[in-house]
Each structure stands twice: as structure tokens, then as C-alpha cells.
Amino acid sequence: MNAKHEHLKPDPLAQTHDVFNQARALEDYNAYDSDTALREAVRRHGAGWAEPALSAHGAKTGTAEIIEWGFLANEHKPQFFSHDRQGYRVDYVKYHESYHRLMALGLESGIHSAPWTDPKPGAHVARAAKSYLQAQVEAGHGCPLTMTFAAVPSISLKPSLAKEWLPKILNNAYDPRNVPHYEKEALTIGMGMTEKQGGSDVRANTTRAWAVGAEGPGEPYELVGHKWFTSAPMCDAFLVLAQTENGLSCFLVPRWRPDGSKNPIQVQRLKNKMGNVSNASSEIELRGALGWMVGEEGRGVPAIIEMVAMTRFDCMIGSAAGQRQAVAQAVNHAAGRAAFGKTLLDQPLMRNVLADLQLEVEGSLAIAMRMGEALDQSTLDPKNEHEKLLLRLGLPAGKYWICKRSPFHAYEAMECLGGNGVTEDFIMARLYREAPINAIWEGSGNVQALDMLRALAKTPAVLETWFAELGKTAGSDARLDKAVNALKHEFADMNDAEYRARDIVDRLSLTMQASQLVEAGNASVAEAFIASRLGEHGDRNYGTLPRGLDLETILARANPWESS
Ligand SMILES: Cc1cc2nc3c(=O)[nH]c(=O)nc-3n(C[C@H](O)[C@H](O)[C@H](O)COP(=O)(O)OP(=O)(O)OC[C@H]3O[C@@H](n4cnc5c(N)ncnc54)[C@H](O)[C@@H]3O)c2cc1C
């Protein structure tokens, strides 16, 4: 280069490029105010009074600070210490500060307690909505929140235990100290059912319990055996199944004995899970661990089933929340990124994909919140048979369907972000790894489908109730009517019912979602849901919505920056 052109030589430290065409981060938004489907569901199902608190919670869960807690709680996995530095057995799990902050936020907001401490119309719905907002930030800490919430009906079966434990379980506070329950003001509860030889079939449990003195409900027993999957092992106590001479029974097993010694619940190791990383799940051995019998001897499953029912409800809420967050992220990205001359949000094929993903959320939320209302109504009026029976079928069907739809939904939403979606810097990768968990936890898919059949066999009225609920929208859409009638036909012949159980539960869920969406009253959403999911479409991917739908409305509901 001659001297004349010297000034054109590139500076080696020159700026290589400008960063542009990137979506803004989805943070510092109000996750409640911007969620039209959620706000409508809250009002529709009797929890309108909770809106100020939900809006305040949504403002918090949308902050960059709290979103960051979710990342940190997963980046810094829980660490297990079997012994302390001097060799004493401690069975201690250390969590990152961010996990504790999330726990404190959830417990101080009453996600574990509100419908029990202040039962009123809409209480379960309001609490579910709060949980839905919180779960969008981080799913792992939802496990102990859910278990603590869900343990209340089971522990209530034994009034003497309830009197001692419930005031502290229902306290809206978090005390993570590893000290005996009687030294604390706030407690969390876990559960131990699954053993190596069987999780679905808990009757195969081999853990044994021997009475310390007198036998029966409320009496102390010592448990010897193991549990293969006990999540949140730093909980203050666990509801555990163990065999007595009279069969499988349920026990409340504390971390510490009343004399201040450590109860011998020994953690063998933590599970190395692909998802749900912030939440420690452990393998434990019970070496004479003390526990009090909850419910009747030999009736352990009916005792713990109360807890299981609530955890299944929370699986519906948690998975629906994962879907909502995935769509919010996908739409946020598509709105802020252009390709081939238009923002992705304006590209017809991307609109089809995003609207279809939003319809999934609409359906999930519709059935989940209807079950929330059923919980409210059946708790407030135990004689309300319709709501009770609706719940009996709705929990397995809804849990099955929503959780099972989530992995593919998360994957499609991830793909909307292109390559960024698969990096751990975005929440999409975590949502994807989280997506299969709820489907397996608390009764895997087949188990839910079989539970639906069990309910039908034991209480045939559940089916009449289901169709009575569907009947509320009869005549409003010929395709829905046709799908409901075809479903009724399935029950005329119960041969091979087990073999067909998934098909039946799919259709129970889909028709209920469609019916709920019709009742909800947004014609664009209901029409698109029915047109895409109840037609003759057959197997389908997301993004295959038929022509002629009002995508504008659906996408506005999906957009976390647009509230209508
Ligand atoms: C993240 C996570 C946390 C967990 N935390 C806890 C916890 O805190 N406490 C706890 O007790 N457990 C916990 N579990 C365990 C979980 O509840 C069990 O894994 C689950 O119930 C399935 O039991 P399993 O693993 O023994 O599988 P199996 O019972 O062996 O089932 C394997 C498969 O067979 C299917 N199946 C079973 N029976 C039938 C049948 N009759 N017909 C057709 N198919 C059938 C199931 O649907 C499943 O797909 C946790 C699991 C996960 C993933």
C-alpha cells in the first residue's frame, strides 16, 4: 500500500459489526396483565377479586431480577453432603441462594396455603393463577411448593397431627434452616411413595413400619426400607407409604425426631436429572425412621391419594404455565426479528405456527381452570356432586393431556427462536428439558388413562357428569356436537377399554377443552380450536391450522407485550 492510501488500512481493532435484528429480552413486563387468556379465566371462574394481587405477582415474576433467579437456581445445581466436615451424618442438600429466594417468594405469596387458610369461591383458581405465573419463571422449586400445598388434606385426616403441623405448614413464610420442626414457624412437606421395584404400582412397596408402642392412626412407628425418588429432601417432613401387617399405610416422617436427634432418613445420592435441575430429587434409606400414622392402617393409598389429586392438579397448572411461557418467548422473538423482508410475526407460516401454539395454551388453561373451579365448589360444598365427579375424571384426563402435549409444544416454540432457542442462555432450553417431567411425575401417561377407567368402573356417574358438563355447549357447534356424540359411542362397548384408554382420554380432554373455550366466549379462539383439533385432520404438527381463521386475535392474546 502506498503512502497515499495508508489512511484506508483497516484498524485491527475496528468494530466488526453492529448487532441488530434481535428481539428485546422478555423481561420487566407484567406477566399477569399481559395474559388475556389468564385474566379471562380468573374472572370466569370466580376469582376476579384476586386480580390486584395477581397483577402485583405478575409484575414481580416478570422482572429481570426474578427471571434471573430462575436461571441461577438451575445453573448452580443442588449439592449433596452426606456428612459434615467432622464426619457426622447430616444428609444435607445445599441450594443456591436464588432457589431459596424463589421458595420464599412462593411461600410468602401463599401458593402453598391460600385456599386452605381462606376458602372462598375462586380461592383455588386464584392460587392456581399465582402458581401459573410463578412456574413460568422456574419450575423446579414448584415441586416442594406443590407438595406442601397438597399434603394438607392428607395430614388433616389425623386431627392431632393436623393441630401440631398445619399452622406451621400453612404459615406464609419460608424457613430453610435444618433444625427440628418444633423450632420452626414455617414448614415444608415432601412425599415418599416410589420404590425401586415400582412407582406406579405402590402396592409393591417393601418398606416396613413397626409400631413403637400402641398401633393405629396418629401413633408412632419406625420405618425400615428405601424410597427411590424423594424430591426436595430438605423438607421438614414427608408423607411416606410403608407396609404394616395390615397393609400399605401412610406416615408423616419428620427430618428430626422429637428428642432433637436426626431421624435416620439417609440420602444415598441425588438423581442426575435431565430437567427439573434446581429441585433436588433423592434416593433415601429409612433406617428406623420415626413417623406417625396418617389415616387408617392399611389405607395408605386412600390417605395419600388426597395429596396425589392435588399434585396432579398442579401438574396441569405447571405444564400449562410452561406452554404459556414458551409461546410468550416465541412471539416476543418473532415480533422482534425480521427475515426475508418482514418480521417473523408477519410471515404467514410463522403466524400459523404461533397461533397454533397459542391455541394449545388456551385449551390447557381452559380445562385446568375449570378444574380449579371444581376444586373450589366441591371444597366449599361437599354435597356438590357435579363438581366432585367432574374433578374425578378431569384430573387424570387433564393431567394426562396437558402434560403429554408439552414436550412437542416446547420444542416447536423453541424452534421459533431458531438457533438461539437451543442455547442455555435463553429459557427455551430449560422449558424443553422441563416439559416431560410432569407427564411422568405423579402418575405417568398410561397410569392416568387407566385411572380414568378406574373412575368409570367405580363411579359410572362420572361419565354422565362429564357429558352433562359438555352438554352446556350442545348445539353451539356442529363439529363439537359430532365429536361428543362419537365419544359417547366409545363407551357403549367397553371391550378392550384398557387398550383404547389413551384414545378415549384424548377425546375426553379435547372435547372438554373445546366446550370450555366455547363457554369462555371468544369466538375466534373457539372456532380455531375446534377447526384445528376436532376436524378430520388426523395426525398433525403445529402450524397446520386451516385457512380462514382470525389469527390476529389469537396472536394478540399470545403476545406478552400486548394486553387486550
Ligand atoms: C422429577 C421427578 C420427581 C419425582 N419425585 C418424586 C417424589 O418426590 N416422591 C415419589 O414418591 N416419587 C417421585 N417421583 C417418581 C415418579 O412419581 C415415578 O417415577 C412415577 O410414578 C412412575 O413410576 P416408575 O418410575 O416406577 O415407573 P413404572 O411404574 O415402572 O412405569 C413405567 C411405565 O409403565 C407405565 N405403566 C405402569 N403401569 C402400567 C399398566 N398397568 N399398563 C400400561 N402401562 C403401565 C407407566 O405409565 C410408565 O410409563 C419423581 C419422578 C420425577 C421424574
Side-chain angles (χ1 to χ4, degrees):
M1 194 174 284
N2 62 34
K4 197 172 145 204
H5 293 116
E6 188 64 27
H7 68 284
L8 294 176
K9 196 170 139 194
D11 176 350
L13 296 179
Q15 199 183 347
T16 59
H17 65 293
D18 290 328
V19 178
F20 68 102
N21 196 22
Q22 294 291 325
R24 62 181 151 168
L26 180 54
E27 54 192 30
D28 296 329
Y29 73 114
N30 188 315
Y32 182 74
D33 291 354
S34 62
D35 190 338
T36 307
L38 179 62
R39 284 189 289 119
E40 287 176 1
V42 161
R43 289 175 203 152
R44 192 164 68 246
H45 296 294
W49 51 264
E51 287 210 270
L54 289 170
S55 178
H57 201 68
K60 283 187 200 165
T61 60
T63 59
E65 183 191 2
I66 292 180
I67 290 169
E68 181 66 3
W69 295 351
F71 279 89
L72 291 172
N74 283 275
E75 199 175 312
H76 302 274
K77 287 185 180 189
Q79 281 178 293
F80 168 56
F81 299 88
S82 56
H83 297 81
D84 69 6
R85 58 171 68 88
Q86 288 155 320
Y88 293 102
R89 182 107 209 171
V90 286
D91 298 294
Y92 182 69
V93 178
K94 195 170 167 182
Y95 296 90
H96 189 261
E97 190 52 35
S98 294
Y99 172 89
H100 290 303
R101 289 193 178 129
L102 288 166
M103 284 295 289
L105 178 66
L107 292 162
E108 285 162 10
S109 309
I111 288 177
H112 67 302
S113 65
W116 312 131
T117 52
D118 189 13
K120 59 182 169 187
H124 275 286
V125 171
R127 177 260 167 197
K130 220 177 238 186
S131 177
Y132 185 80
L133 294 168
Q134 179 110 0
Q136 289 182 56
V137 173
E138 206 286 314
H141 78 289
C143 174
L145 290 182
T146 282
M147 292 193 294
T148 304
F149 165 71
V152 171
S154 295
I155 294 175
S156 301
L157 291 172
K158 185 63 205 161
S160 57
L161 289 174
K163 191 167 168 225
E164 183 186 355
W165 285 80
L166 288 190
K168 293 182 179 183
I169 291 172
L170 294 172
N171 189 0
N172 287 356
Y174 180 46
D175 183 348
R177 290 176 305 145
N178 186 21
V179 297
H181 63 273
Y182 49 82
E183 291 180 18
K184 296 174 120 183
E185 290 306 317
L187 304 174
T188 53
I189 305 293
M191 72 199 298
M193 298 193 293
T194 308
E195 296 186 4
K196 291 186 177 108
Q197 68 283 355
S200 307
D201 188 3
V202 291
R203 293 167 309 174
N205 275 190
T206 60
T207 296
R208 295 284 317 208
W210 284 272
V212 174
E215 295 176 358
E219 298 298 339
Y221 284 69
E222 283 183 344
L223 279 64
V224 176
H226 83 281
K227 294 290 161 184
W228 182 230
F229 243 114
T230 298
S231 290
M234 293 307 289
C235 283
D236 296 289
F238 306 85
L239 282 171
V240 177
L241 291 179
Q243 306 278 1
T244 68
E245 279 183 4
N246 293 312
L248 200 59
S249 307
C250 180
F251 300 88
L252 182 67
V253 181
R255 265 186 82 75
W256 296 83
R257 285 171 171 258
D259 65 6
S261 64
K262 194 177 142 345
N263 209 11
I265 307 169
Q266 296 191 346
V267 176
Q268 303 302 296
R269 59 177 173 172
L270 297 187
K271 298 287 191 191
N272 191 11
K273 293 175 291 181
M274 53 79 78
N276 213 248
V277 170
S278 70
N279 174 37
S281 296
S282 66
E283 296 164 15
I284 59 171
E285 296 206 339
L286 302 146
R287 299 175 181 266
L290 180 104
W292 299 277
M293 187 180 280
V294 175
E296 300 295 316
E297 185 173 0
R299 305 270 304 153
V301 173
I304 211 164
I305 209 78
E306 306 262 352
M307 180 172 187
V308 169
M310 289 295 153
T311 56
R312 287 180 180 174
F313 175 64
D314 269 18
C315 285
M316 294 167 72
I317 297 296
S319 291
Q323 293 177 5
R324 162 64 188 164
Q325 180 59 208
V327 172
Q329 293 285 345
V331 172
N332 176 62
H333 180 81
R337 182 144 179 114
F340 302 101
K342 279 187 197 164
T343 64
L344 290 173
L345 192 54
D346 290 325
Q347 293 286 7
L349 187 51
M350 184 57 101
R351 291 172 76 73
N352 195 331
V353 172
L354 292 169
D356 208 354
L357 291 172
Q358 172 65 12
L359 288 173
E360 196 68 43
V361 177
E362 300 272 0
S364 298
L365 199 57
I367 192 169
M369 287 307 205
R370 178 64 187 90
M371 292 310 128
E373 184 185 336
L375 271 174
D376 276 323
Q377 298 211 21
S378 56
T379 311
L380 293 171
D381 176 11
K383 292 205 189 97
N384 189 332
E385 285 298 310
H386 179 87
E387 297 298 310
K388 232 166 42 188
L389 295 174
L390 190 65
L391 211 46
R392 181 62 191 93
L393 219 50
L395 289 182
K399 196 252 183 203
Y400 169 89
W401 180 254
I402 298 173
C403 299
K404 201 155 275 305
R405 297 284 291 175
S406 285
F408 194 63
H409 184 273
Y411 149 68
E412 278 291 4
M414 174 193 261
E415 190 172 309
C416 293
L417 272 77
N420 284 354
V422 301
T423 70
E424 294 286 355
D425 299 329
F426 288 79
I427 197 173
M428 304 309 295
R430 173 149 50 91
L431 292 175
Y432 180 63
R433 285 186 280 100
E434 211 63 59
I437 304 288
N438 283 341
I440 296 171
W441 186 54
E442 282 307 322
S444 312
N446 288 354
V447 170
Q448 299 305 311
L450 295 174
D451 189 42
M452 175 270 301
L453 290 184
R454 194 172 308 113
L456 289 179
K458 204 170 159 199
T459 321
V462 292
L463 200 56
E464 282 162 42
T465 304
W466 197 263
F467 285 118
E469 182 72 15
L470 290 174
K472 291 179 184 173
T473 53
S476 55
D477 187 289
R479 294 157 299 180
L480 176 55
D481 289 346
K482 193 174 162 201
V484 171
N485 287 332
L487 178 59
K488 278 184 185 159
H489 250 41
E490 289 295 326
F491 296 100
D493 167 15
M494 290 306 276
N495 280 332
D496 297 327
E498 277 198 28
Y499 182 77
R500 295 186 289 129
R502 279 192 180 218
D503 180 47
I504 294 173
V505 81
D506 277 5
R507 291 158 69 184
L508 283 172
S509 308
L510 269 172
T511 47
M512 184 57 77
Q513 287 181 314
S515 171
Q516 289 300 318
L517 290 174
V518 169
E519 261 201 89
N522 186 307
S524 300
V525 172
E527 166 61 24
F529 191 92
I530 291 171
S532 58
R533 281 144 171 90
L534 295 185
E536 305 297 324
H537 221 43
D539 233 356
R540 60 191 295 277
N541 277 314
Y542 287 109
T544 53
L545 295 176
R547 286 189 283 184
L549 302 173
D550 174 12
L551 263 53
E552 202 61 43
T553 297
I554 298 165
L555 289 170
R557 293 165 73 86
N559 194 332
W561 299 109
E562 232 180 87
S563 58
S564 50

